[in-house]
Amino acid sequence: SAVISQKPSRDICQRGTSLTIQCQVDSQVTMMFWYRQQPGQSLTLIATANQGSEATYESGFVIDKFPISRPNLTFSTLTVSNLSPEDSSIYLCSVEARPGANTEAFFGQGTRLTVV
Amino acid sequence: EDQVTQSPEALRLQEGESSSLNCSYTVSGLRGLFWYRQDPGKGPEFLFTLYSAGEEKEKERLKATLTKKESFLHITAPKPEDSATYLCAVQARTSGSRLTFGEGTQLTVNP
């Protein structure tokens, strides 16, 4: 399994500001993923962070709002820009591991963002 | 479009009362079906991945099964510490590594 550390675990931000979330993995992984979990809802993929190339965004998510960095194979950041109350969610980092023929996907503990 | 529907939304059991959670899915070529446990304020904890109809996997009191249209998570003789939200997700062959999640089943096990 992979151990994923996310920082910060929670934050309260003013509208119009930005928050950068860090994700550190204890092993090298090709792809890292960022998900959003809105209050009372399930997880939605924001983007896939590829090392050495631009992130790939899902429909409804844009780079200007959610810029992502992936400087190496163990680290990524997600920035949520120009915050509004609608951005209040839990943001989760995820990695995929493929031991043998299996596929396993692991998540960090999440960052709970509240925008006021 | 891949879709995942979980039922029931919430389930209350007495300790020792076995039951099953359902995950119905529609996907264009299933690569894998994932089950997670999520405790309040925490990220999802990986439980199982199932790949083909007829496959079963077990972990302690949990057993996951898979058909071509749905998956069941059977909980045998649950304990209060099994209380959590259980999430199901699918990964399609055509969507890379994207996981499409259901809304989850909130399980409460009373002592």
Side-chain angles (χ1 to χ4, degrees):
Chain A
S1 67
V3 177
I4 303 172
S5 300
Q6 266 187 251
K7 293 180 181 179
S9 59
R10 60 177 61 231
D11 207 343
I12 301 173
C13 298
Q14 297 288 327
R15 67 176 68 199
T17 63
S18 299
L19 175 69
T20 295
I21 304 166
Q22 297 180 4
C23 178
Q24 179 77 50
V25 189
D26 68 343
S27 59
Q28 293 186 340
V29 293
T30 303
M31 292 188 289
M32 297 175 73
F33 308 90
W34 287 99
Y35 284 80
R36 181 175 71 180
Q37 187 172 26
Q38 294 180 297
Q41 298 188 25
S42 197
L43 286 76
T44 301
L45 180 64
I46 297 171
T48 301
N50 307 301
Q51 196 268 335
S53 64
E54 282 197 359
T56 305
Y57 289 84
E58 296 295 306
S59 175
F61 298 97
V62 295
I63 187 171
D64 289 347
K65 177 68 175 176
F66 299 100
I68 288 171
S69 78
R70 181 79 200 275
N72 57 52
L73 291 175
T74 63
F75 187 80
S76 177
T77 67
L78 169 74
T79 299
V80 189
S81 303
N82 190 24
L83 291 168
S84 68
E86 293 71 36
D87 294 320
S88 297
S89 292
I90 298 173
Y91 293 86
L92 295 142
C93 173
S94 173
V95 301
E96 186 177 273
R98 297 198 175 183
N102 297 318
T103 300
E104 300 174 351
F106 302 98
F107 286 82
Q109 291 299 298
T111 296
R112 181 181 293 272
L113 169 62
T114 303
V115 182
V116 297
Chain B
E1 183 181 341
D2 305 331
Q3 289 190 327
V4 178
T5 303
Q6 292 187 245
S7 62
E9 289 184 11
L11 181 62
R12 285 185 176 273
L13 300 173
Q14 288 298 123
E15 185 171 2
E17 180 186 2
S18 302
S19 188
S20 295
L21 313 182
N22 177 264
C23 171
S24 297
Y25 65 91
T26 304
V27 64
S28 53
L30 181 70
R31 174 181 287 168
L33 185 141
F34 297 71
W35 280 100
Y36 290 88
R37 168 192 172 126
Q38 186 173 29
D39 292 298
K42 296 191 175 182
E45 174 190 344
F46 173 77
L47 294 174
F48 308 107
T49 309
L50 302 169
Y51 301 95
S52 57
E55 188 175 2
E56 299 182 353
K57 287 191 176 176
E58 291 188 62
K59 181 179 181 178
E60 297 180 355
R61 294 178 292 281
L62 301 177
K63 181 168 119 176
T65 63
L66 181 65
T67 74
K68 288 186 177 180
K69 294 183 179 181
E70 57 191 350
S71 177
F72 292 93
L73 184 66
H74 307 277
I75 303 177
T76 302
K79 298 181 177 182
E81 52 263 41
D82 294 322
S83 298
T85 295
Y86 290 85
L87 298 170
C88 169
V90 296
Q91 188 178 67
R93 292 198 188 95
T94 57
S95 61
S97 294
R98 181 199 310 133
L99 294 177
T100 300
F101 280 84
E103 298 290 319
T105 293
Q106 186 173 351
L107 174 66
T108 303
V109 182
N110 296 313

